[in-house]
Amino acid sequence: MNTKLEYKQTVSWILHLIQQIRQRLKIWLDPVLLEQLRPQLQFQTSVLAGFALLAAILLGLADLATRGVIQQRLQEDLQTNLDQVIPAAMHDNNLLADSVMIDSADAKLGALQTEVYLAKMHGEVKAVCFKFTAPDGYAGPINLVMGIDSNGEILGVRVITHVETPGLGDKIEISKSKWVLSFNGKSLDNLTVEQWAVKKDGGIFDQFSGATITPRKVVQAIHRGLEFYRSHQTELLNSTK
Amino acid sequence: MNLSILFSKPFQKIARDGLWDNNVVLTQNLALCPLLAVTGTATNGLGMGLATMVVMLASNATVSVSRHLIPSEIRIPIFVLLIAALVTLVDIFLNAWMHELHKVLGLFIPLIVTNCVILGRAEAFASKQPVILSMWDGLMMGAGFTLVMVVLGAVREITSQGTLFANASVLLGEGFSFLETTFIHDYKGFLLTALPPGGFIVLGFLVAAKRMLDIKLSAAKKTVTEIVPESVVNGGEL
């Protein structure tokens, strides 16, 4: 009984508040009054500041509301990407939970530290995969993920995000073209350094008509990724947790 | 609200202006940057057009609501601020709650800010007109833009890849996979129309076709009524 009364009071109070705000707004947003105010410098400054504040608050709130969700979506994306470059039959552990941080400041992978996910079968490392970046793509950084088996051969490469030209450079995506599959099975051992380049530069990988820079930078980044793996190979393969 | 208002004179005129008479691309020749960047395929054109329409609807609404508040001296910075904030909001929300769609469109969403027609409509229409009319204007201008994007995308996609509405199911959901058609199998491709210059050339043909149709239509009208129509209003330029 008591709560019902309180509820009714709250509702009527809110209605009253809305009524008051409406009346205030009617006075504040009165076209005649605003007509007089608009030429004043103080008014103009406050309006501009007010709109900037409003936009900042809106964006801040939207960021707060979506940050967790976006983070979760990115984790899901990462899981999907890892599954694409490491066959499920090769491991019995949870990749996202089994990783080591490796110092990669000298490897030019776009980050000071790289998180390497370990694919283990019965506790033994069968393959590794990690995210890395080609920082010098045509229109901006290209984020990639690559899986490498214990012999140093590429199991798969996928582009996670990029800002390359739609219709030209975006053929590095698996959904647009099968180009990234041409890296499968390649390693530092079965290709020479010269062969690790696009055809235009004397290598074996296709470039796209209308876009050479994008695939060139991707090939170079993948080569750097393989070198990074080789320099940490023993360390990674022997890591048990 | 009574829906019959949408068929009243001013609403009809706005719809005609947005979709045909004062079309963003074909008549005003605005918004060419996102247009040429995105219309490689009809699906991309459709997605970009719809996103632009949403932003234009929201920006026209907010500008119109606060039109008495905004002094004309600082209107441009305020409009730019509002549009940039709205585009960022659309980007964030799509990323969080329509993630699959965002993966397809994510590249293009920031390009909406470069679309001068949104600023143009805020300036030329929404800052002087009531809210409902402004929203209708944003919707119709956006629809006209979307229309051209889809047609241009379709022509370029068919000539460059031999397909139509490829990947439509990624954008619109599995139910729309029936839209995906392949016209020419084992088509080698015609690179020119895939590249921006080809987009310009196809756009030129579209503009020419529209002009020709307009001349034919007005000639037919003249012979019937003997009245010269004074309805061609170029109120859209910035």
Side-chain angles (χ1 to χ4, degrees), chain A residues 44-76:
Chain A
Q44 295 184 357
T45 324
S46 352
V47 166
L48 189 53
F51 271 100
L53 187 70
L54 193 75
I57 291 174
L58 263 180
L59 290 179
L61 287 179
D63 183 45
L64 271 185
T66 53
R67 183 176 291 175
V69 188
I70 291 176
Q71 205 61 41
Q72 198 188 335
R73 293 281 179 276
L74 292 180
Q75 282 290 320
E76 286 167 17

Side-chain angles (χ1 to χ4, degrees), chain B:
Chain B
M1 201 184 74
N2 195 346
L3 273 180
S4 65
I5 189 177
L6 296 184
F7 297 101
S8 64
K9 262 272 156 64
F11 277 87
Q12 267 190 351
K13 173 152 173 26
I14 289 172
R16 238 189 105 85
D17 263 355
L19 293 176
W20 187 261
D21 284 347
N22 202 12
N23 187 289
V24 173
V25 179
L26 296 182
T27 309
Q28 302 183 50
N29 289 329
L30 291 176
L32 301 185
C33 158
L35 183 87
L36 295 169
V38 171
T39 52
T41 66
T43 311
N44 284 352
L46 181 65
M48 180 68 171
L50 291 178
T52 309
M53 192 157 91
V54 170
V55 172
M56 193 134 51
L57 181 69
S59 86
N60 266 11
T62 37
V63 166
S64 178
V65 166
S66 47
R67 67 186 186 280
H68 294 303
L69 198 66
I70 301 173
S72 64
E73 288 87 349
I74 54 162
R75 66 189 192 285
I76 301 291
I78 291 184
F79 293 163
V80 171
L81 192 69
L82 282 176
I83 293 165
L86 283 170
V87 171
T88 314
L89 282 181
V90 168
D91 192 30
I92 294 178
F93 287 146
L94 276 182
N95 197 355
W97 289 301
M98 287 183 250
H99 196 66
E100 290 306 311
L101 184 60
H102 187 266
K103 273 196 243 171
V104 183
L105 282 185
L107 275 172
F108 314 131
I109 302 287
L111 274 182
I112 298 177
V113 180
T114 68
N115 196 333
C116 49
V117 87
I118 298 177
L119 188 62
R121 291 326 284 174
E123 162 81 13
F125 197 94
S127 63
K128 303 185 182 80
Q129 302 285 347
V131 181
I132 301 293
L133 273 182
S134 300
M135 288 172 73
W136 181 246
D137 179 73
L139 202 65
M140 283 300 120
M141 280 287 160
F145 182 59
T146 311
L147 194 73
V148 178
M149 297 277 277
V150 172
V151 172
L152 191 58
V155 172
R156 288 178 68 184
E157 190 180 343
I158 292 171
T159 46
S160 69
Q161 297 173 22
T163 59
L164 184 61
F165 281 110
N167 296 328
S169 53
V170 187
L171 178 73
L172 301 164
E174 280 306 316
F176 284 87
S177 51
F178 69 90
L179 278 175
E180 297 174 18
T181 10
T182 306
F183 276 95
I184 312 158
H185 290 277
D186 297 325
Y187 186 51
K188 286 278 183 291
F190 181 52
L191 183 65
L192 178 64
T193 53
L195 298 174
F200 265 119
I201 292 168
V202 176
L203 176 66
F205 279 116
L206 282 187
V207 173
K210 195 239 174 200
R211 297 264 155 97
M212 220 161 76
L213 208 62
D214 272 348
I215 291 170
K216 281 231 170 100
L217 282 177
S218 72
K221 217 175 186 179
K222 240 188 235 172
T223 52
V224 174
T225 58
E226 295 292 335
I227 303 166
V228 184
E230 283 287 337
S231 63
V232 184
V233 184
N234 274 330
E237 286 99 338
L238 193 62

